[in-house]
Amino acid sequence: MHILAVDTGGTFTDLVYFNGQQLLTHKVLSTPTAPERAILNGINALGINTEGLHIVHGTTVATNAVLQYNGAKSGMITTAGYRDILHIGRHQRPQHYSIAQEIPWQARPLVRRR
């Protein structure tokens, strides 16, 4: 078995390949409009056989979207009575179950309450 780990996005796309004996690393410029192109460029540069290749993928693009609040609008489907679960969270706070208190990291929620 051979494995390729890829982190795509940001300025560079990083690749780490391991086939049980050999460890290879490579870095290529990211292609923001088509991230898959940078991955394929990296695979070609490494010169690895893709037959039976297992790929583990991470992305800086998703991390940046969360940090910059510029990702797609999203929603969350929950069981009745649990729509506030992301807002309440499991952090230590003065009023554990109050949804009215001001919490700095909740000023811009990832999923709107309604």
Side-chain angles (χ1 to χ4, degrees), residues 44-67:
N44 289 334
L46 285 170
I48 58 178
N49 179 5
T50 58
E51 186 175 334
L53 180 65
H54 294 267
I55 298 178
V56 179
H57 179 259
T59 177
T60 305
V61 173
T63 303
N64 288 345
V66 169
L67 294 174

Side-chain angles (χ1 to χ4, degrees), residues 6-60:
V6 178
D7 175 24
T8 187
T11 304
F12 294 100
T13 294
D14 302 296
L15 299 98
V16 177
Y17 171 75
F18 184 66
N19 65 4
Q21 299 171 352
Q22 187 179 30
L23 180 71
L24 302 173
T25 61
H26 192 67
K27 183 180 291 262
V28 296
L29 284 172
S30 289
T31 51
T33 58
E36 71 281 0
R37 197 172 342 129
I39 296 169
L40 292 173
N41 290 344
I43 290 172
N44 289 334
L46 285 170
I48 58 178
N49 179 5
T50 58
E51 186 175 334
L53 180 65
H54 294 267
I55 298 178
V56 179
H57 179 259
T59 177
T60 305

